[in-house]
Amino acid sequence: MRLPTTAHTSLPWRIHELSSDFRVEDVWAFRTPGAGPDDFPAMLAAMRTAGGLTRQPLPVRFLFAVRWKLGALLGWDDPEAGVDARVASLRSRLPLDLREARGEDDDDMPLKAIYELGTESARELVNKTVHTVMHLGWVRGSNGDHELRMAVLVKPNGWFGRLYMAAIAPFRYVIVYPALTRQWERAWRDRDELAAQHGGRGRR
């Protein structure tokens, strides 16, 4: 479910200290029935166990395959356009108390960890189009259960980056986010089964 920008900006997330020069592009909520205040690590573990792009439906995999192919042909994702090359990682902005709070990197996920805490985490991706951050937070919902919220923060790289974000917006809302919602909400529902299949790694 898409939420207003204030659903992210009104909460005291640590990411605000690092991202004053980014804009909030999207805020999305994911249902996690029965979740409590301490279940954020379990949700992250379930998401990792459920898999990344390789477990997404064919239309999503196709879109990302096209994107990576274009990026390779046009040089959007060349190393000199990446993190700590075109721009510095947000990890360089971390206050002392967050510098040891780095989460796990995953080869299946192009976004790299900035930090991971008990109720929030942040990852980033840099290329020739944008510097983007995916922030995940754990929030008590209106029904009393806690739920996962995702905020996408972006800093476009000039006019081309702004055009790029506008061009991909329909694909995010119609294809990518609905598929991600189904995958992540299913990961929460099936976390015990996933953990058993993967030797207990689906829970913490």
Side-chain angles (χ1 to χ4, degrees), residues 50-126:
L53 290 176
T54 58
R55 300 288 294 275
Q56 288 287 352
L58 180 60
V60 177
R61 299 200 308 271
F62 175 77
L63 282 177
F64 277 95
V66 170
R67 166 59 185 85
W68 302 136
K69 185 65 173 179
L70 284 174
L73 290 173
L74 301 176
W76 292 350
D77 306 311
D78 289 350
E80 60 267 24
V83 67
D84 288 330
R86 184 174 72 79
V87 298
S89 168
L90 287 191
R91 284 193 58 81
S92 65
R93 305 184 186 183
L94 289 178
L96 286 173
D97 66 316
L98 288 183
R99 290 183 184 174
E100 300 302 320
R102 184 164 187 165
E104 299 178 28
D105 281 332
D106 188 334
D107 291 339
D108 291 333
M109 180 177 286
L111 290 93
K112 301 306 178 185
I114 302 172
Y115 66 84
E116 187 174 307
L117 302 173
T119 57
E120 65 173 301
S121 71
R123 294 177 172 271
E124 66 184 339
L125 173 69
V126 178

Side-chain angles (χ1 to χ4, degrees), residues 23 25 67 76 86 125-132 152-170 172:
R23 74 164 187 253
E25 185 77 15
R67 166 59 185 85
W76 292 350
R86 184 174 72 79
L125 173 69
V126 178
N127 54 41
K128 283 188 177 178
T129 62
V130 295
H131 185 178
T132 186
V152 177
L153 317 177
V154 298
K155 183 161 60 171
N157 186 15
W159 65 267
F160 177 68
R162 292 189 289 273
L163 285 176
Y164 173 82
M165 291 303 300
I168 68 172
R172 294 199 314 272

Side-chain angles (χ1 to χ4, degrees), residues 32 38-51 55 104 116 138 183-204:
T32 50
D38 300 322
D39 283 333
F40 183 58
M43 180 63 195
L44 294 182
M47 291 159 60
R48 292 179 183 120
T49 305
R55 300 288 294 275
E104 299 178 28
E116 187 174 307
W138 199 239
Q183 184 186 36
W184 287 359
E185 291 183 350
R186 184 169 59 248
W188 172 256
R189 294 194 305 269
D190 299 343
R191 61 194 182 280
D192 292 327
E193 180 181 346
L194 289 169
Q197 292 172 358
H198 293 81
R201 288 181 292 166
R203 301 188 74 177
R204 291 186 187 175

